DNA sequence: ATGTGTTCCTGTCCGC
DNA sequence: TGCGGACAGGAACACA
């Protein structure tokens, strides 16, 4: 989990240490994560400069001087830690490798970037930079929720032909790219829409409200530095960087925060995933 | 073409 | 303390 705000926080945290800097050596400690690593990955990540760190949906994209782009997905439990940072922001030296430290980038500037992922639902791949948009994992992604293409007209158009619950629709990365379970629950709460509501049965004014709520909840989370959950850490490795109190996510049984609402947050399962919502103010 | 269920994997927590 | 089961941020894939 990391969703869009967490991935953006990691990207921003890595940028000062990686952008414009050279990866001297890459240790690849196992052959795969969710899928096998690309051919000769360690070789292709040796003596290359990182020109830019970008983000697309929940992917971090590192454009390299070799004219390849490294794609990184954190899956459910992926973390990236910085150590030995020459900027002196992080006071620890290189720690001993830990369990699940699958890939380690040794930067020429002395920093070390460690990718740790216990569940191994994460992924890495390399693709030519000029074709990376057509990569299998990226080509079918919908618009960025914080971008201009994600607007009321687009969302209304997408939802009018869908019979699935709105919860499932917003988790569909083809509709909009980067939302996950937490922020879908939070955005639906803010919009007063029940996660069970059929996508094609949401009145237009409510669809219109949904767009800014999605944007707001993501922007606030990014501004706060991503959420701190069980497996999430900032790129600097700090713990409890931001203890977010979600309005509904993981709040089963708690009182609804809406003023004068007597509702209690409920948990249901949709498509095998928990949805949290207030049955009183979400309809 | 849509929609839902299963699957990958490890770790943590909770009840007995 | 140990043990079993439920559950966890994702999303590709198989199947109706």
């Amino acid at each position: 989990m990391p969703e869009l705000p967490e991935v953006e926080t990691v990207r921003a945290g890595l940028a000062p240490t990686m952008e414009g800097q050279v990866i001297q050596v890459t240790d690849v400690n196992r052959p795969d994560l969710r899928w096998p690593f690309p051919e000769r990955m360690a070789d292709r990540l040796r003596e290359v400069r990182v020109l830019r760190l970008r983000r697309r949906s929940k992917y971090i994209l590192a454009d390299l001087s070799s004219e390849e782009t490294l794609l990184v997905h954190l899956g459910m439990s992926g973390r990236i830690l910085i150590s030995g940072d020459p900027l002196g922001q992080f006071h620890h030296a290189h720690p001993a490798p830990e369990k699940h430290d699958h890939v380690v980038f040794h930067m020429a500037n002395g920093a070390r970037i460690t990718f740790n992922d216990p569940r191994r639902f994460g992924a890495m791949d390399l693709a030519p930079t000029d074709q990376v948009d057509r990569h299998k994992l990226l080509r079918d992604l919908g618009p960025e929720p914080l971008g201009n293409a994600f607007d009321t007209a687009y969302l209304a158009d997408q939802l009018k032909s869908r019979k699935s619950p709105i919860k499932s629709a917003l988790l569909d990365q083809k509709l909009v790219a980067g939302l996950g379970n937490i922020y879908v629950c939070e955005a639906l709460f803010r919009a007063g829409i029940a996660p069970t509501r059929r996508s094609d049965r949401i009145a237009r004014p409510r669809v219109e409200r949904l767009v800014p709520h999605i944007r707001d909840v993501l922007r606030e989370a990014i501004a706060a530095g991503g959420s701190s959950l069980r497996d999430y850490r900032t790129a600097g490795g700090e713990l409890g960087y931001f203890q977010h109190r979600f309005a509904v996510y993981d709040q089963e049984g708690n009182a609804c925060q809406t003023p004068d609402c007597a509702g209690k947050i409920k948990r249901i399962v949709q498509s095998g995933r928990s949805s949290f919502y207030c049955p009183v103010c979400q309809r």
Side-chain angles (χ1 to χ4, degrees):
Chain A
M1 199 183 42
E3 303 182 28
L4 187 155
E6 290 75 26
V7 175
E8 177 56 26
T9 300
V10 170
R11 187 207 62 78
L14 289 173
T17 308
M18 293 192 85
E19 271 192 341
Q21 302 298 320
V22 169
I23 300 171
Q24 211 160 50
V25 170
T26 299
D27 297 334
V28 179
N29 297 332
R30 53 173 298 130
D32 55 18
L33 288 171
R34 180 168 182 179
W35 296 288
F37 287 129
E39 291 292 304
R40 301 171 33 251
M41 182 164 85
D43 287 344
R44 292 156 75 183
L45 295 176
R46 216 186 132 82
E47 297 296 341
V48 288
R49 190 176 297 275
V50 177
L51 303 178
R52 175 173 291 187
L53 276 188
R54 300 181 282 143
R55 180 190 56 74
R56 170 73 171 114
S57 185
K58 299 171 194 172
Y59 292 86
I60 294 172
L61 304 178
D63 295 330
L64 307 172
S65 54
S66 53
E67 302 189 3
E68 292 197 293
T69 294
L70 173 68
L71 290 80
V72 179
H73 196 290
L74 299 173
M76 290 274 253
S77 58
R79 288 185 278 160
I80 298 180
L81 303 179
I82 303 172
S83 60
D85 186 279
L87 301 174
Q89 295 174 315
F90 311 112
H91 305 294
H92 44 286
H94 299 304
E98 287 186 43
K99 205 173 172 183
H100 311 306
D101 283 353
H102 306 310
V103 178
V104 182
F105 303 100
H106 299 258
M107 305 302 293
N109 60 18
R112 203 172 283 185
I113 312 292
T114 301
F115 181 96
N116 178 290
D117 183 8
R119 294 179 73 179
R120 303 203 305 276
F121 292 166
M124 285 192 200
D125 201 5
L126 282 160
T129 299
D130 60 3
Q131 292 171 39
V132 75
D133 291 344
R134 278 168 284 171
H135 190 282
K136 192 182 182 199
L137 295 171
L138 303 184
R139 70 184 175 205
D140 295 322
L141 291 174
E144 287 288 320
L146 296 176
N148 293 332
F150 184 68
D151 60 15
T152 302
Y154 171 80
L155 185 59
D157 184 61
Q158 285 290 313
L159 295 183
K160 74 175 187 218
S161 59
R162 290 184 185 237
K163 297 178 185 12
S164 65
I166 184 65
K167 168 78 185 310
S168 312
L170 294 178
L171 280 177
D172 182 350
Q173 304 294 298
K174 294 198 262 308
L175 194 159
V176 58
L179 294 179
N181 209 27
I182 294 175
Y183 297 109
V184 167
C185 290
E186 295 295 308
L188 288 172
F189 171 73
R190 292 185 182 203
I193 300 170
T196 48
R197 176 154 289 267
R198 257 176 68 152
S199 301
D200 60 359
R201 291 186 190 161
I202 304 173
R204 178 71 182 223
R206 311 180 78 213
V207 175
E208 288 180 13
R209 271 188 282 142
L210 187 49
V211 171
H213 281 307
I214 290 170
R215 291 173 177 274
D216 286 352
V217 79
L218 294 175
R219 282 207 200 94
E220 287 171 25
I222 291 169
S227 309
S228 197
L229 277 161
R230 292 171 187 84
D231 296 329
Y232 183 72
R233 304 292 183 277
T234 66
E238 304 103 286
L239 283 163
Y241 177 86
F242 175 65
Q243 294 298 330
H244 195 100
R245 280 307 274 177
F246 299 117
V248 288
Y249 183 81
D250 211 16
Q251 302 300 315
E252 184 180 18
N254 290 350
C256 175
Q257 293 184 350
T258 304
D260 301 323
C261 178
K264 268 170 64 170
I265 305 307
K266 197 174 163 190
R267 183 179 85 93
I268 59 171
V269 175
Q270 295 178 282
S271 308
R273 310 201 61 193
S274 291
S275 295
F276 299 89
Y277 72 109
C278 173
V280 176
C281 53
Q282 289 177 257
R283 293 282 157 188

